[in-house]
Amino acid sequence: MIIVVGDLVTDVLVEHDGPVRYGSDTEAAIRVTGGGQAANTAAWLAHSGQAVTLVSAVGDDLAGRQRIAELESGGVRCAVQVRTGAATGSVVVLTGATERTMITDRGASLLLDPEHVTSVLAGAPAGSHVHLSGYPLLHDGSRPAGLAALAAAARHGLTVSVDAASAGPLRDAGAQAFLSWVRDTDVLLCNADEADVLAGPGTADEQGGRLTAHVRNAVVKQGAGGALWCGRDGSSWSGAASRVPMKDPTGAGDAFAAGLLTAWLSGRGPEAALTAGAELGALAVGRIGARP
């Protein structure tokens, strides 16, 4: 069982060609879908045949009920709090062919209760794995829940992975603070921008080496340049990206994490895990939206 802790929100996906014309009109295709880094990863894990539980929070509203129903229909077990008086979070995703920008209202995700997280992890089957989206750690309201997930995993002897989430909020929270929160995590995943924040400038190999002073294994994703896995013992493995036409990069990192974790937790090595992550990430970028 993989227990994913983090955000479940509504994505308003704005697919546009060319630059946004600020102060005027920009033609776009607009879709409303389920989103949230943790929820997306959970959906891709279920798609891969992995038993998965999502721990998150939504508002007591139609959007929250729809988000839970979508995940359950895809095979995700939802241990999701419904917070009365709060609205389910929403993210406007401005997406083009190569990049996306997110405008975020985290809503009820900020109200995830540490006691709820602790209770779910206390009931986890032996040998379970905890995957924590970095977003709970990056905001004052949800940080206690993120820290509770890490503490409970340690108490119960569960392996842990953390996704660094997003460069801007990471910079706001502070690299050293974040690295202190995730110290000795089994696997830390970050993209190139997040690695720049956490490890400073340099090659992916240099950054991964610096990060393993804090975590046991660091995975630095480089988009079309592939990904690198660095171990604390100085070992490293590289994985190439799968070459496919890109329709939408939204959710690609979440799918990569799901593929990598499914392979690694099944006993396959880092190189095979990187390949599995790249394959699922390629599937994600070849379609519109963040979910399978």
Side-chain angles (χ1 to χ4, degrees):
M1 171 70 72
I2 297 180
I3 302 170
V4 183
V5 180
D7 47 333
L8 170 56
V9 302
T10 299
D11 275 356
V12 181
L13 188 64
V14 181
E15 184 189 6
H16 58 93
D17 292 323
V20 174
R21 295 186 291 184
Y22 294 99
S24 186
D25 288 357
T26 300
E27 294 294 323
I30 300 176
R31 300 171 177 83
V32 178
T33 67
Q37 183 180 70
N40 295 341
T41 301
W44 283 106
L45 284 165
H47 177 77
S48 301
Q50 179 69 51
V52 58
T53 296
L54 175 69
V55 184
S56 190
V58 296
D60 186 10
D61 53 20
L62 177 61
R65 293 188 288 275
Q66 289 175 333
R67 301 292 80 83
I68 292 172
E70 290 165 353
L71 289 168
E72 290 179 336
S73 69
V76 177
R77 177 178 175 270
C78 290
V80 176
Q81 287 186 295
V82 177
R83 302 305 302 254
T84 302
T88 298
S90 298
V91 179
V92 177
V93 185
L94 306 177
T95 182
T98 60
E99 191 53 273
R100 84 280 186 273
T101 297
M102 294 175 288
I103 302 169
T104 304
D105 175 0
R106 308 221 70 81
S109 293
L110 297 176
L111 302 177
L112 181 59
D113 186 350
E115 293 185 4
H116 175 69
V117 176
T118 299
S119 175
V120 174
L121 294 190
S128 293
H129 176 84
V130 176
H131 180 68
L132 175 64
S133 164
Y135 281 111
L137 294 174
L138 299 179
H139 300 278
D140 292 342
S142 53
R143 187 170 301 133
L147 294 174
L150 295 173
R155 279 197 306 276
H156 297 292
L158 308 180
T159 53
V160 177
S161 53
V162 176
D163 195 308
S166 183
L170 266 179
R171 193 173 290 109
D172 293 341
Q176 292 309 307
F178 183 85
L179 290 171
S180 72
W181 298 328
V182 303
R183 178 166 293 279
D184 290 331
T185 288
D186 294 287
V187 182
L188 173 66
L189 298 100
C190 53
N191 64 24
D193 290 340
E194 294 151 9
D196 285 346
V197 174
L198 292 175
T203 65
D205 192 58
E206 291 168 341
Q207 292 173 326
R210 293 177 204 142
L211 290 173
T212 56
H214 305 274
V215 298
R216 293 187 174 94
N217 297 280
V219 176
V220 180
K221 301 171 289 182
Q222 300 173 289
L228 186 74
W229 179 305
C230 294
R232 182 171 279 176
D233 61 0
S235 58
S236 65
W237 295 265
S238 60
S242 299
R243 302 292 180 177
V244 295
M246 182 180 289
K247 292 184 179 179
D248 177 14
T250 309
D254 308 332
F256 177 92
L260 180 142
L261 290 174
T262 297
W264 182 63
L265 292 171
S266 71
R268 298 163 67 186
E271 189 170 10
L274 290 172
T275 298
E279 289 173 350
L280 209 57
L283 183 61
V285 301
R287 62 184 308 283
I288 301 297
R291 303 263 182 91

